[in-house]
Amino acid sequence: MNDVPEAPGWTCRYSETFNYDWHDDVVCSNGMESHRPYLLEGYDFVTYDDIMAAAADYELYLNSQ
């Protein structure tokens, strides 16, 4: 039996910055590190649904590394 806990994967969640730049309203963490990616850079306006879809894609990317 393996007693070593599995390392947690990356999770990205909504975290509004209130800086009127919707591209950075997500924070991603793996329990030890965290960062705020700049998502959907080419969009002039980003909705909550847009940013969360991009965050889910980015989370998959981080966990595939």
Side-chain angles (χ1 to χ4, degrees):
M1 180 177 222
N2 187 355
D3 291 332
V4 177
E6 189 174 314
W10 285 93
T11 57
C12 297
R13 63 178 175 79
Y14 186 75
S15 176
E16 192 169 355
T17 59
F18 299 102
N19 64 359
Y20 301 105
D21 185 354
W22 306 279
H23 300 88
D24 64 352
D25 283 347
V26 168
V27 67
C28 300
S29 175
N30 68 0
M32 295 174 51
E33 301 174 58
S34 67
H35 70 275
R36 188 175 289 276
Y38 197 80
L39 303 172
L40 303 174
E41 190 169 342
Y43 285 46
D44 290 333
F45 179 78
V46 178
T47 67
Y48 174 82
D49 290 337
D50 293 336
I51 200 73
M52 292 313 296
D57 289 343
Y58 189 67
E59 185 178 296
L60 287 173
Y61 165 76
L62 290 173
N63 285 313
S64 71
Q65 300 298 306

